[in-house]
Amino acid sequence: MEDQDNDNIYIYNEEAEEHPLDDSGPNFAQAAQDPQIYAKEDNGGNESAKETIGSGKIFLLLINLLLNPIEGWKSIRRNKISSDIVQKKCFLPLVSILAVCQFLPLIYSARVSLPFLIEKAVVTFVSFFFGYFCIMLLLNVIMPKTVTKSVSTDFGKVFVLMSLSTLCLFYILMGLLPMLWAILIFLPLWTVYLICRGARFFQFPNNIQISCTAILCLVIIGFPVLLEWGLGIILPHITR
């Protein structure tokens, strides 16, 4: 009888006595009727925590990635930043700045026309903005079926967004420093290196690791350039 009585006794420590339980929330009966209550609250808490990550924090992660690729990718994984946050607070601002930089030739060159620069700015923005969605779709199509799930994860999306953000940053520098264009033209090779160093976190099988890494490099680096080239050919015929 004593054992049965002890089973129904709640034992509280001294801290619990000093801080009484909060009975303002749903009771156990309510939780049993709707077990998704707490799941929704937890998801909302995580989303609000992610929303507190500012642009400054993400740009610091981007700079850390550029300076130390391995530790940079580890920090990005450790912070568990959602792709939506990276897109809104890092990728889109850089793409917008890159589009604005297309108007810089008006300062140092008198032989360019404003309509041409407007067209170039639109092509640049579209190539990167819609290029991101096309890259994710293309990776799901051409990647081996055994690794498509790892690429489609939130980290996979952040991986593509961060890689494209480094490209935008390099192209911005090339626009701001046209006199160093012959040197800065090689900066996108650093993005290739970042992709190669970060591909290990996808844990590709050993027999297809090299091929999957090569696909990542070719698609992420090449698709925006290919899309910009195609739009540059099509758009003038549309705007005539």
Side-chain angles (χ1 to χ4, degrees):
M1 293 295 295
E2 291 181 358
D3 293 339
Q4 294 178 354
D5 293 336
N6 289 338
D7 291 339
N8 296 323
I9 295 175
Y10 291 95
I11 300 175
Y12 300 97
N13 55 22
E14 295 179 358
E15 294 180 357
E17 293 178 357
E18 294 178 359
H19 304 284
L21 294 175
D22 183 10
D23 57 355
S24 60
N27 56 29
F28 291 106
Q30 293 173 330
Q33 294 173 0
D34 189 2
Q36 296 181 349
I37 292 177
Y38 294 114
K40 293 180 180 178
E41 291 178 355
D42 291 341
N43 292 335
N46 292 335
E47 291 177 359
S48 61
K50 290 180 179 179
E51 288 291 344
T52 59
I53 298 176
S55 300
K57 174 67 176 297
I58 297 178
F59 276 105
L60 286 177
L61 291 174
L62 181 63
I63 298 301
N64 185 33
L65 175 63
L66 290 170
L67 298 178
N68 193 338
I70 294 297
E71 292 300 324
W73 289 122
K74 287 182 180 179
S75 298
I76 291 171
R77 283 178 60 89
R78 193 180 304 118
N79 282 272
K80 297 181 180 179
I81 306 173
S82 69
S83 58
D84 293 335
I85 299 299
V86 175
Q87 184 176 353
K88 290 188 295 185
K89 296 188 177 182
C90 180
F91 178 63
L92 282 180
L94 286 175
V95 173
S96 301
I97 294 173
L98 179 59
V100 173
C101 286
Q102 303 306 312
F103 295 96
L104 290 177
L106 288 173
I107 301 175
Y108 54 81
S109 178
R111 295 182 294 179
V112 294
S113 62
L114 183 60
F116 171 76
L117 295 179
I118 293 175
E119 177 185 304
K120 191 175 181 181
V122 171
V123 169
T124 300
F125 185 87
V126 171
S127 299
F128 277 92
F129 179 73
F130 288 101
Y132 159 68
F133 298 101
C134 294
I135 287 171
M136 295 306 304
L137 179 62
L138 190 60
L139 288 176
N140 287 326
V141 172
I142 64 177
M143 276 288 195
K145 299 299 182 182
T146 56
V147 300
T148 51
K149 289 185 178 180
S150 61
V151 176
S152 301
T153 59
D154 207 43
F155 174 73
K157 298 176 183 178
V158 172
F159 184 91
V160 174
L161 286 170
M162 281 294 193
S163 300
L164 290 175
S165 296
T166 62
L167 276 182
C168 291
L169 190 59
F170 294 150
Y171 288 141
I172 290 171
L173 290 176
M174 292 167 62
L176 293 174
L177 303 171
M179 69 291 296
L180 300 177
W181 184 86
I183 299 175
L184 299 179
I185 191 64
F186 296 102
L187 281 178
L189 293 176
W190 191 252
T191 300
V192 176
Y193 176 72
L194 295 177
I195 296 173
C196 293
R197 300 298 288 174
R200 58 184 288 186
F201 295 101
F202 289 105
Q203 297 181 349
F204 295 136
N206 293 331
N207 58 333
I208 58 173
Q209 184 175 7
I210 296 177
S211 60
C212 289
T213 303
I215 291 173
L216 282 175
C217 293
L218 290 175
V219 173
I220 295 175
I221 301 295
F223 194 84
V225 177
L226 183 63
L227 187 58
E228 184 176 6
W229 174 77
L231 290 174
I233 295 176
I234 298 172
L235 194 58
H237 296 283
I238 298 177
T239 55
R240 283 176 184 174

